[in-house]
Amino acid sequence: MPPVFAPPVPFPYALPSSCEGYQLAMPNSAFAAKIVRDFVGALLRTGAHAGLADDARLCVSEVVSNVYCHTRSELVRVEVLVGREEVAVHVTNDHTGPLPEPLVRPEGEGGRGLLVVNGLAASWGSSTRKVKTRRTKTVWFVLTEPEPDCRVGAAEPEPEPGTKADCRVGAAEPGNEMRPDAAQAPAPR
Protein backbone atom coordinates (compact mmCIF):
# COMPACT_ATOMS: atom_id res chain seq x y z
CA MET A 1 0.00 0.00 0.00
CA PRO A 2 1.54 3.39 -0.98
CA PRO A 3 1.97 6.16 1.61
CA VAL A 4 -1.21 8.07 2.32
CA PHE A 5 0.35 11.47 1.67
CA ALA A 6 3.69 13.03 0.83
CA PRO A 7 6.16 13.94 3.58
CA PRO A 8 5.69 17.39 5.09
CA VAL A 9 7.61 20.25 3.55
CA PRO A 10 9.11 23.36 5.17
CA PHE A 11 6.81 26.35 5.60
CA PRO A 12 6.52 27.51 1.97
CA TYR A 13 5.93 31.22 2.43
CA ALA A 14 5.41 33.97 4.96
CA LEU A 15 1.97 35.31 5.65
CA PRO A 16 1.43 38.95 4.69
CA SER A 17 2.73 41.50 7.17
CA SER A 18 -0.85 42.64 7.76
CA CYS A 19 -1.64 39.49 9.72
CA GLU A 20 -2.16 39.46 13.48
CA GLY A 21 -0.01 37.17 15.59
CA TYR A 22 -0.92 35.54 18.89
CA GLN A 23 1.34 33.40 21.06
CA LEU A 24 0.86 31.03 23.95
CA ALA A 25 3.50 29.07 25.86
CA MET A 26 2.71 26.42 28.44
CA PRO A 27 4.19 23.40 30.18
CA ASN A 28 4.11 20.21 28.13
CA SER A 29 1.45 18.42 30.16
CA ALA A 30 -1.61 16.26 29.66
CA PHE A 31 -3.71 19.47 29.81
CA ALA A 32 -1.78 21.34 27.10
CA ALA A 33 -3.92 20.11 24.19
CA LYS A 34 -7.15 21.29 25.83
CA ILE A 35 -5.67 24.66 26.79
CA VAL A 36 -4.41 25.29 23.25
CA ARG A 37 -7.62 23.98 21.68
CA ASP A 38 -9.68 26.44 23.75
CA PHE A 39 -7.25 29.30 23.05
CA VAL A 40 -7.32 28.80 19.27
CA GLY A 41 -11.10 28.25 19.21
CA ALA A 42 -11.83 31.43 21.16
CA LEU A 43 -9.38 33.41 19.05
CA LEU A 44 -10.89 32.36 15.73
CA ARG A 45 -14.54 32.47 16.79
CA THR A 46 -14.20 36.13 17.80
CA GLY A 47 -12.62 37.15 14.50
CA ALA A 48 -13.21 36.84 10.79
CA HIS A 49 -12.42 33.12 10.66
CA ALA A 50 -15.15 31.63 12.83
CA GLY A 51 -15.74 29.00 10.12
CA LEU A 52 -12.21 27.65 10.62
CA ALA A 53 -12.40 27.43 14.41
CA ASP A 54 -13.43 23.76 14.64
CA ASP A 55 -10.84 22.58 12.09
CA ALA A 56 -8.14 24.65 13.78
CA ARG A 57 -9.10 23.29 17.21
CA LEU A 58 -8.88 19.70 15.98
CA CYS A 59 -5.57 20.18 14.14
CA VAL A 60 -3.82 22.04 16.96
CA SER A 61 -5.07 19.49 19.48
CA GLU A 62 -3.58 16.65 17.43
CA VAL A 63 -0.22 18.39 17.03
CA VAL A 64 0.07 19.39 20.71
CA SER A 65 -0.95 15.87 21.76
CA ASN A 66 1.92 14.55 19.64
CA VAL A 67 4.32 16.83 21.51
CA TYR A 68 3.06 15.47 24.83
CA CYS A 69 3.11 11.82 23.74
CA HIS A 70 6.36 11.77 21.76
CA THR A 71 8.74 14.34 23.27
CA ARG A 72 10.38 15.29 26.53
CA SER A 73 10.14 19.00 25.79
CA GLU A 74 9.36 21.03 28.90
CA LEU A 75 7.44 23.71 26.99
CA VAL A 76 5.01 23.85 24.09
CA ARG A 77 4.85 27.16 22.24
CA VAL A 78 1.98 27.97 19.88
CA GLU A 79 1.87 30.86 17.45
CA VAL A 80 -1.32 31.67 15.57
CA LEU A 81 -1.04 34.01 12.58
CA VAL A 82 -4.39 35.30 11.38
CA GLY A 83 -4.39 36.78 7.89
CA ARG A 84 -7.26 38.07 5.77
CA GLU A 85 -7.67 34.82 3.85
CA GLU A 86 -5.92 32.20 5.97
CA VAL A 87 -4.79 31.12 9.40
CA ALA A 88 -1.38 29.58 10.12
CA VAL A 89 -0.59 27.76 13.35
CA HIS A 90 2.95 26.85 14.45
CA VAL A 91 3.49 24.43 17.35
CA THR A 92 7.09 24.42 18.60
CA ASN A 93 8.86 22.21 21.12
CA ASP A 94 12.46 21.79 22.29
CA HIS A 95 12.78 18.07 21.60
CA THR A 96 15.70 17.20 19.35
CA GLY A 97 14.17 13.97 18.04
CA PRO A 98 13.24 13.34 14.41
CA LEU A 99 10.62 15.35 12.57
CA PRO A 100 7.18 13.74 12.40
CA GLU A 101 6.71 11.44 9.45
CA PRO A 102 3.54 10.61 7.59
CA LEU A 103 1.74 7.49 8.72
CA VAL A 104 2.21 4.71 6.18
CA ARG A 105 -0.37 2.30 7.63
CA PRO A 106 -3.45 4.28 8.74
CA GLU A 107 -5.27 1.09 9.79
CA GLY A 108 -2.95 0.67 12.81
CA GLU A 109 -3.80 1.79 16.35
CA GLY A 110 -3.08 5.46 17.03
CA GLY A 111 -0.89 7.67 14.90
CA ARG A 112 -3.69 9.23 12.88
CA GLY A 113 -3.21 12.79 14.11
CA LEU A 114 -1.19 13.92 11.11
CA LEU A 115 -3.73 12.27 8.79
CA VAL A 116 -6.36 14.52 10.35
CA VAL A 117 -4.14 17.57 9.87
CA ASN A 118 -3.40 16.52 6.28
CA GLY A 119 -7.11 16.14 5.55
CA LEU A 120 -8.15 19.51 6.97
CA ALA A 121 -5.23 21.84 6.27
CA ALA A 122 -4.50 23.53 2.96
CA SER A 123 -0.83 22.77 3.68
CA TRP A 124 1.29 21.58 6.58
CA GLY A 125 4.83 20.63 7.37
CA SER A 126 7.60 20.57 9.93
CA SER A 127 11.05 22.05 10.35
CA THR A 128 13.88 22.39 12.83
CA ARG A 129 16.03 25.36 13.68
CA LYS A 130 18.65 26.34 16.18
CA VAL A 131 17.61 29.12 18.56
CA LYS A 132 20.51 30.37 20.71
CA THR A 133 21.80 27.20 22.40
CA ARG A 134 18.84 24.94 21.82
CA ARG A 135 17.38 23.20 18.80
CA THR A 136 13.62 23.49 18.23
CA LYS A 137 11.16 21.53 16.16
CA THR A 138 8.03 23.14 14.68
CA VAL A 139 4.97 21.54 13.10
CA TRP A 140 2.83 24.06 11.23
CA PHE A 141 -0.39 24.04 9.27
CA VAL A 142 -2.36 26.55 7.23
CA LEU A 143 -6.15 26.64 7.04
CA THR A 144 -8.11 28.59 4.44
CA GLU A 145 -11.78 29.33 4.10
CA PRO A 146 -13.47 26.93 1.62
CA GLU A 147 -14.80 28.28 -1.63
CA PRO A 148 -18.46 29.27 -1.22
CA ASP A 149 -19.69 26.52 -3.58
CA CYS A 150 -17.58 23.81 -1.92
CA ARG A 151 -19.02 23.99 1.59
CA VAL A 152 -20.78 20.89 2.83
CA GLY A 153 -24.49 21.58 2.95
CA ALA A 154 -24.23 24.63 0.70
CA ALA A 155 -27.60 25.45 -0.79
CA GLU A 156 -27.98 24.39 -4.39
CA PRO A 157 -30.39 26.16 -6.71
CA GLU A 158 -33.74 24.42 -6.99
CA PRO A 159 -34.19 22.72 -10.39
CA GLU A 160 -37.24 23.51 -12.46
CA PRO A 161 -40.09 21.09 -11.64
CA GLY A 162 -40.46 18.33 -14.19
CA THR A 163 -36.97 18.71 -15.64
CA LYS A 164 -34.40 15.95 -15.69
CA ALA A 165 -32.43 17.87 -13.05
CA ASP A 166 -35.37 17.51 -10.65
CA CYS A 167 -34.31 14.08 -9.46
CA ARG A 168 -35.04 14.49 -5.78
CA VAL A 169 -36.64 11.54 -4.03
CA GLY A 170 -40.36 11.91 -4.38
CA ALA A 171 -40.17 14.62 -7.07
CA ALA A 172 -43.25 14.43 -9.20
CA GLU A 173 -43.24 14.48 -12.97
CA PRO A 174 -45.89 16.59 -14.71
CA GLY A 175 -49.18 14.71 -14.74
CA ASN A 176 -47.93 12.22 -12.17
CA GLU A 177 -48.24 14.24 -8.96
CA MET A 178 -47.96 12.26 -5.76
CA ARG A 179 -50.05 12.70 -2.68
CA PRO A 180 -47.98 13.39 0.45
CA ASP A 181 -48.89 9.95 1.86
CA ALA A 182 -48.50 8.07 -1.46
CA ALA A 183 -44.80 7.42 -0.92
CA GLN A 184 -45.64 5.42 2.19
CA ALA A 185 -48.36 3.25 0.63
CA PRO A 186 -47.31 -0.27 -0.35
CA ALA A 187 -46.86 -0.89 -4.04
CA PRO A 188 -49.56 -3.06 -5.72
CA ARG A 189 -48.55 -6.64 -6.44
Side-chain angles (χ1 to χ4, degrees):
M1 178 180 202
V4 176
F5 52 86
V9 296
F11 194 65
Y13 58 91
L15 287 174
S17 59
S18 63
C19 71
E20 297 176 354
Y22 302 87
Q23 296 178 348
L24 178 65
M26 75 210 77
N28 184 14
S29 71
F31 303 107
K34 181 187 179 346
I35 292 167
V36 169
R37 187 171 53 240
D38 292 346
F39 168 72
V40 170
L43 178 66
L44 294 181
R45 283 193 179 104
T46 59
H49 295 295
L52 295 177
D54 289 338
D55 289 351
R57 283 172 41 91
L58 183 56
C59 289
V60 78
S61 181
E62 294 293 345
V63 174
V64 171
S65 293
N66 282 348
V67 172
Y68 177 69
C69 292
H70 303 293
T71 76
R72 291 181 298 249
S73 179
E74 290 183 22
L75 286 176
V76 178
R77 289 176 298 287
V78 177
E79 182 178 19
V80 181
L81 302 171
V82 181
R84 288 170 45 117
E85 298 179 10
E86 60 193 3
V87 174
V89 178
H90 300 176
V91 176
T92 302
N93 67 78
D94 297 330
H95 186 65
T96 58
L99 292 171
E101 293 188 24
L103 185 66
V104 177
R105 300 192 63 200
E107 65 275 2
E109 295 235 356
R112 293 188 188 93
L114 292 178
L115 286 174
V116 170
V117 173
N118 185 66
L120 295 175
S123 59
W124 74 279
S126 59
S127 60
T128 60
R129 68 181 181 160
K130 189 170 185 177
V131 177
K132 296 181 184 175
T133 60
R134 71 181 196 274
R135 189 154 197 80
T136 65
K137 178 173 36 180
T138 300
V139 175
W140 57 267
F141 58 89
V142 177
L143 298 170
T144 58
E145 296 285 347
E147 294 294 322
D149 295 331
C150 297
R151 289 188 311 253
V152 174
E156 295 182 21
E158 286 290 321
E160 292 292 321
T163 65
K164 189 171 186 173
D166 189 16
C167 57
R168 295 169 293 167
V169 174
E173 294 179 317
N176 192 19
E177 285 75 21
M178 295 175 57
R179 297 186 325 267
D181 61 340
Q184 298 170 356
R189 293 185 188 191

